[in-house]
Amino acid sequence: MAIETIVVPDLGGAESVDVIELSLAQGDTVGVEDSLLVLESDKATMDVPSPHEGQLVKYLVAEGDTVKVGDPIAELEIQADPSQEVANEAAESLDAEVEDAAEATVAPEAAPVAKIEEKATEFDVAISSSAVDSPLADSESADDIYAGPAVRMLARELGVDLTSVPGSGPRGRILKDDVNDYVKRALSGGAAESGQDTGAGIPEIPQIDFSQFGEIEKVKLTKIQKVTANNMQRNWLNVPHVTQFDDADITEMDSFRKSLKAEGEMRGVRVTPVAFLVKAIATALEDNPGFNRSLVGDGESYIQKQYCNIGMAVDTPRGLVVPVIRNASSMGIWEIAGEVAQLAEKAREGKLKPSDMQGGCFTLSSLGAIGGNGFTPIVNAPELGILGVSKAQMKPVWNGHDFEPRLMLPLALSYDHRLINGGDAGRFMTQIVKLLSDIRHLAL
Ligand code: CAO
């Protein structure tokens, strides 16, 4: 037997990373490819797989440490002369990982040395993660959970459904302590009382054999549909929603928009009401910074964002995606209109990268081109608010003397009532209505 020191492998460009999880306990037996620990950079989490079969002597780092390429991280006791068979096995499985990682649009140069899980916090959270996630994931929904292999193993041992466990780690990552706390709460009957449990105790919808009523077909959900389903349920259960409604008089805005048609044709840009909505939201977000926050998982603090990125829900044949328009408050209407069209096209062609869908502060969901009088959108947590926009219609509006035909745009603002109160929402909505009703204010 010999002692082998394992070092931090090539990190695909990241200079230093944090150790966020030690996957084994001292003395544990480890197989080739088993995760030794999990590292986290600004953009990704990485499982560091064991290159050998053996036993963990000790870790040379602790959770929370910062490490760089080549730093020693663990000592393994291994056979002095590992068989060629084992080495081949490792090489083969690393090759397989490269393919998996490439499929998941993760930087290919980083894949041979560490399993990389790109981060995402919005509707897209698992689009990038599942194909390179832990081999221990044992169910389809488990693929989309932000947790490392050791946590998944612990959850499996304890029979815990990770979709019900709120994560307290960075960006909601589920930690071992979260699983243990969940079990403790469940055993003491306190899971529901704590207000944090999102799944336990909810009666299941009965499974029905529909074929008894007629011909049926069972169709697999797309990846995006599965991610959307999980995120919608998570957000619906976690966020105490309130939805506030108003109508904006966009008569002038729409005639100005139409007057831009010829210039738009020259520029190759079509200006729809969505460009004005993005601009109005970005302006209101800057003036109402309370909406540009996110609650921290510990419930003790919030993050105040100084940047202003607006997510835009796009309806695609594969499902709903939310690309992000960056720094929207500093953009003009032409620029925003171009960005809206470009992102919508990329979304429909399935060409959005995970990074195109990250970093949103607030979401716009416009069903204006489709129809409807109104709807109550679900907050895209950890954002605090979402504006649902329905179809503008000519309506008779009382001007103090007569009814006038005006083009009215129905708006619905859903917000997270944990951080936003009705007064905040009223001011935010009133400003959006004012900006859309008199777009000269957008220039101020
Ligand atoms: N009222 C009336 N007409 C509207 C409108 C509104 N609120 N919003 C857009 N329109 C019009 C546009 O002006 C355009 O008509 P013209 O070319 O004659 O001017 C037409 O509708 C088509 O718009 P579009 O859909 O091509 O482009 P858009 O910029 O309005 O919207 C996008 C882009 C990506 C937001 C939209 O295509 C989309 O995917 N919406 C769906 C979002 C969604 O699914 N939300 C639900 C999420 S929660 O389940």
Side-chain angles (χ1 to χ4, degrees):
M1 303 298 272
I3 303 293
E4 167 104 359
T5 302
I6 310 298
V7 299
V8 176
D10 179 6
L11 296 169
E15 286 195 353
S16 61
V17 291
D18 295 337
V19 178
I20 58 165
E21 192 177 304
L22 302 177
S23 310
L24 304 167
Q26 200 170 336
D28 274 0
T29 303
V30 60
V32 176
E33 274 302 278
D34 285 354
S35 173
L36 287 172
L37 46 74
V38 184
L39 303 174
E40 182 174 63
S41 73
D42 288 346
K43 300 193 186 74
T45 58
M46 292 153 264
D47 281 320
V48 177
S50 172
H52 304 292
E53 219 172 59
Q55 215 173 21
L56 178 72
V57 178
K58 61 177 172 184
Y59 281 112
L60 304 171
V61 290
E63 285 177 9
D65 284 358
T66 300
V67 292
K68 57 185 185 324
V69 177
D71 282 354
I73 45 180
E75 281 180 4
L76 290 189
E77 187 176 61
I78 58 169
Q79 280 190 353
D81 176 22
S83 72
Q84 192 56 38
E85 198 183 322
V86 171
N88 287 345
E89 206 179 296
E92 273 169 26
S93 94
L94 281 173
D95 282 350
E97 256 174 48
V98 176
E99 282 167 27
D100 282 354
E103 262 178 44
T105 69
V106 172
E109 68 272 22
V113 288
K115 286 188 221 174
I116 296 190
E117 177 184 351
E118 278 220 14
K119 279 187 196 160
T121 54
E122 299 91 14
F123 291 130
D124 65 299
V125 70
I127 293 169
S128 60
S129 68
S130 66
V132 286
D133 209 344
S134 160
L136 298 172
D138 56 357
S139 72
E140 287 183 344
S141 61
D143 277 356
D144 304 333
I145 289 162
Y146 190 25
V151 172
R152 287 167 192 268
M153 185 182 280
L154 177 67
R156 252 206 319 275
E157 280 167 9
L158 297 174
V160 170
D161 173 7
L162 280 179
T163 55
S164 304
V165 181
S168 66
R171 294 169 191 78
R173 188 177 178 85
I174 303 172
L175 309 176
K176 282 181 187 169
D177 281 350
D178 297 326
V179 177
N180 289 327
D181 288 349
Y182 178 88
V183 171
K184 276 187 219 151
R185 278 206 316 277
L187 287 175
S188 66
E193 277 167 37
S194 75
Q196 292 186 9
D197 182 77
T198 56
I202 296 176
E204 277 184 24
I205 295 169
Q207 293 297 309
I208 291 173
D209 176 10
F210 296 101
S211 65
Q212 63 186 303
F213 307 117
E215 201 177 319
I216 58 162
E217 184 191 2
K218 189 173 176 183
V219 181
K220 281 240 164 232
L221 294 181
T222 64
K223 185 78 198 164
I224 294 178
Q225 284 173 322
K226 280 197 282 183
V227 171
T228 303
N230 280 340
N231 289 344
M232 289 298 176
Q233 185 173 28
R234 180 197 69 194
N235 297 342
W236 179 256
L237 291 171
N238 277 297
V239 176
H241 281 74
V242 176
T243 304
Q244 166 162 348
F245 304 91
D246 209 340
D247 289 339
D249 181 339
I250 60 164
T251 316
E252 263 88 50
M253 185 267 264
D254 205 53
S255 64
F256 174 64
R257 183 183 75 81
K258 285 182 175 138
S259 75
L260 298 174
K261 202 167 173 205
E263 191 179 347
E265 276 165 14
M266 273 180 355
R267 289 173 178 255
V269 177
R270 191 173 53 110
V271 181
T272 67
V274 167
F276 291 93
L277 282 157
V278 170
K279 182 71 182 173
I281 292 169
T283 306
L285 211 52
E286 290 213 317
D287 291 350
N288 299 268
F291 266 85
N292 201 0
R293 293 175 182 160
S294 281
L295 261 176
V296 175
D298 61 6
E300 302 283 330
S301 43
Y302 62 77
I303 303 294
Q304 176 68 59
K305 294 162 210 169
Q306 309 295 350
Y307 53 88
C308 181
N309 300 335
I310 309 299
M312 173 184 70
V314 182
D315 182 37
T316 81
R318 290 174 207 80
L320 177 68
V321 288
V322 187
V324 172
I325 299 167
R326 286 172 207 285
N327 303 316
S329 53
S330 60
M331 293 162 85
I333 295 296
W334 288 116
E335 204 181 346
I336 295 177
E339 193 77 358
V340 166
Q342 199 197 358
L343 286 172
E345 190 181 330
K346 268 171 98 177
R348 292 197 178 108
E349 291 173 356
K351 290 188 178 158
L352 288 175
K353 292 192 288 248
S355 57
D356 290 329
M357 296 179 276
Q358 294 168 14
C361 304
F362 185 101
T363 296
L364 165 67
S365 178
S366 171
L367 290 175
I370 298 171
N373 290 329
F375 63 104
T376 54
I378 296 178
V379 171
N380 188 11
E383 296 169 15
L384 294 184
I386 180 167
L387 188 72
V389 179
S390 297
K391 191 173 180 64
Q393 291 191 50
M394 291 304 286
K395 291 202 171 153
V397 176
W398 184 248
N399 66 11
H401 311 283
D402 302 298
F403 282 105
E404 255 190 275
R406 307 292 295 177
L407 186 62
M408 303 304 289
L409 182 70
L411 304 172
L413 171 70
S414 293
Y415 58 91
D416 184 339
H417 208 343
R418 289 174 300 177
L419 268 194
I420 303 286
N421 59 37
D424 302 326
R427 281 182 285 275
F428 186 80
M429 181 68 123
T430 303
Q431 190 180 1
I432 288 191
V433 167
K434 183 174 161 189
L435 291 168
L436 293 172
S437 303
D438 186 348
I439 54 169
R440 289 173 303 178
H441 291 287
L442 285 175
L444 296 179

